[in-house]
Amino acid sequence: MNEIKNKLNGKKYYRIVDIELTNACNMNCMFCPRDCTPPQGIMNIETFKCATERAVEMGNLKLIQLCGLGEPLLHPKAVEMVDYLNKKNIDFNVSTNASLLTSELSRRLIDAGLKSITFSVSGLNQKYEQIHKDDFPKIKSNILNFLKIVNGQCKIQMAVTVFDKNKDDIDDIRKNWENEGVSKFFFFEYNNRGGLIDKGYYFTQSKKFCGEAKKIMIDNKIPHECLTPFMSVFIGWNGNYYLCCNDYKKNYALGTVFDSTIDEIDDRKRNLLNSDCYICGKCDTYPLNIIREYMFRVEKNEATENQLNKKIEEYKSWGN
């Protein structure tokens, strides 16, 4: 049985299904290639319910994430969708930039059964406005007002995308929101979105070290197929399954929720990963590419063998 299949069937490995209510967004964040997204739309209720059924029938569902490549609260029926998931007794989370989170909408979401929300806020004050192109006092007011309204009825998380613009502000961001009552944070190093963002990688310019890096992964029992497309199943607003959330242009539509189960889509993903997938070859969430990048840097005396070995050890833990 396939290496990934073994892991996904194990008790330790549960999966997130990311359902995109819309790929429209009312922000233009510095780290997001919005100009590369395809034509925008919103998911209809029939498609949403079918996507939910596919997630549940999978059997090892950890969470439904309402996010995708857009702002879910732009959907006019977002509250109705929250109510549907709540009545189905499904664990789910809404990820939002909080710009639309008025007092009225906050109350409606809580009344509908929202129990987990993640706010995407990657800066404070003027730095926030430079990064997210929106008004920080408004965003902060919306979040603080939400905290008062929920009064402990909803889990609150803060997601921070870490990159050059804010990397020195992380402690301040954490302290600011801890002082307001937020205790859970996710700090993500921004990725290159399948090669759409130029981060100056050597591996995107050449296929050198592919064989050597793959051998390192096999010898160290590191999953040499990328787990991202399998651990987080991405369903677009039109009901199409896509390879993963890094397929920003949605080049790889693999079937729809109306005609294919997630298990069937997994097989198509494997076939794609075993071919010359352009996005995967340019993506920095693929461990093979990062090991190659370290090999390039060692060759150019920009990194040490010790740093390469440390990264290998880090990835080895994925195989345990």
Side-chain angles (χ1 to χ4, degrees):
M1 185 178 286
N2 182 278
E3 175 183 25
I4 291 176
K5 192 74 171 180
N6 282 333
K7 290 189 174 299
L8 296 182
N9 286 342
K11 293 181 180 178
K12 185 178 177 181
Y13 293 88
Y14 292 91
R15 307 173 75 181
I16 292 172
V17 175
D18 186 358
I19 299 179
E20 179 184 74
L21 302 190
T22 178
N23 64 338
C25 189
N26 57 343
M27 286 193 182
N28 187 25
C29 304
M30 292 179 67
F31 48 77
C32 180
R34 290 298 307 166
D35 57 335
C36 294
T37 55
Q40 298 173 357
I42 63 172
M43 180 175 281
N44 64 45
I45 290 293
E46 180 186 8
T47 304
F48 176 74
K49 290 181 178 180
C50 189
T52 300
E53 290 171 6
R54 292 301 191 191
V56 171
E57 74 181 7
M58 184 175 61
N60 55 344
L61 176 68
K62 177 181 180 181
L63 181 79
I64 286 180
Q65 179 76 270
L66 300 185
C67 185
L69 304 183
E71 168 52 51
L73 296 185
L74 282 171
H75 198 296
K77 295 187 176 181
V79 174
E80 181 180 337
M81 292 165 162
V82 165
D83 181 65
Y84 179 82
L85 292 175
N86 181 57
K87 288 178 177 176
K88 289 283 187 179
N89 199 30
I90 297 170
D91 288 334
F92 67 96
N93 178 76
V94 172
S95 183
T96 175
N97 58 37
S99 62
L100 303 173
L101 205 59
T102 62
S103 295
E104 178 188 359
L105 181 55
S106 296
R107 290 189 180 93
R108 291 176 61 210
L109 287 167
I110 294 303
D111 289 344
L114 179 65
K115 296 181 177 66
S116 177
I117 193 167
T118 300
F119 296 119
S120 297
V121 180
S122 297
L124 300 172
N125 304 313
Q126 290 184 345
K127 187 69 70 70
Y128 173 91
E129 295 175 1
Q130 293 171 11
I131 293 171
H132 292 285
K133 314 294 196 301
D134 209 327
D135 182 59
F136 181 71
K138 177 191 75 174
I139 299 300
K140 185 170 184 177
S141 176
N142 285 354
I143 294 174
L144 295 184
N145 193 47
F146 182 85
L147 289 170
K148 291 178 183 176
I149 290 171
V150 302
N151 193 28
Q153 298 178 65
C154 180
K155 291 189 294 185
I156 312 292
Q157 295 90 217
M158 197 69 64
V160 180
T161 300
V162 182
F163 66 124
D164 290 344
K165 193 73 175 177
N166 67 357
K167 64 182 181 180
D168 296 326
D169 305 326
I170 300 306
D171 287 343
D172 289 340
I173 293 172
R174 180 193 288 274
K175 289 175 184 176
N176 175 85
W177 292 109
E178 283 180 339
N179 289 338
E180 302 296 352
V182 178
S183 59
K184 190 167 185 178
F185 296 83
F186 300 107
F187 295 98
F188 304 99
E189 181 178 354
Y190 91 113
N191 65 65
N192 72 349
R193 299 296 187 183
L196 291 180
I197 297 174
D198 183 6
K199 294 179 67 176
Y201 288 126
Y202 294 115
F203 77 80
T204 61
Q205 309 301 318
S206 167
K207 292 188 176 182
K208 187 176 181 180
F209 296 129
C210 282
E212 295 92 328
K214 192 166 186 176
K215 185 177 187 303
I216 287 173
M217 296 179 78
I218 293 172
D219 290 347
N220 287 278
K221 296 182 172 57
I222 301 169
H224 60 274
E225 293 176 294
C226 184
L227 295 178
T228 301
F230 303 92
M231 304 303 289
S232 181
V233 179
F234 180 41
I235 300 174
W237 64 265
N238 55 5
N240 281 341
Y241 297 99
Y242 294 98
L243 177 61
C244 76
C245 61
N246 288 319
D247 184 6
Y248 244 67
K249 292 186 177 181
K250 295 183 175 176
N251 289 318
Y252 297 100
L254 303 174
T256 78
V257 294
F258 295 105
D259 60 32
S260 301
T261 66
I262 291 175
D263 280 346
E264 290 169 336
I265 294 300
D266 285 346
D267 290 334
R268 294 170 202 171
K269 288 180 178 179
R270 285 187 199 96
N271 291 336
L272 181 58
L273 291 175
N274 288 328
S275 67
D276 191 14
C277 174
Y278 176 81
I279 290 175
C280 298
K282 301 291 184 180
C283 186
D284 63 357
T285 62
Y286 187 10
L288 178 79
N289 288 335
I290 296 303
I291 290 175
R292 289 176 57 223
E293 182 65 19
Y294 273 87
M295 295 174 79
F296 276 111
R297 293 179 185 178
V298 169
E299 181 183 59
K300 296 176 182 295
N301 294 318
E302 296 175 7
T304 65
E305 289 282 353
N306 186 55
Q307 288 173 312
L308 169 60
N309 292 332
K310 186 176 180 181
K311 179 57 65 173
I312 292 169
E313 287 299 315
E314 176 186 327
Y315 285 139
K316 280 175 70 173
S317 66
W318 293 20
N320 296 327

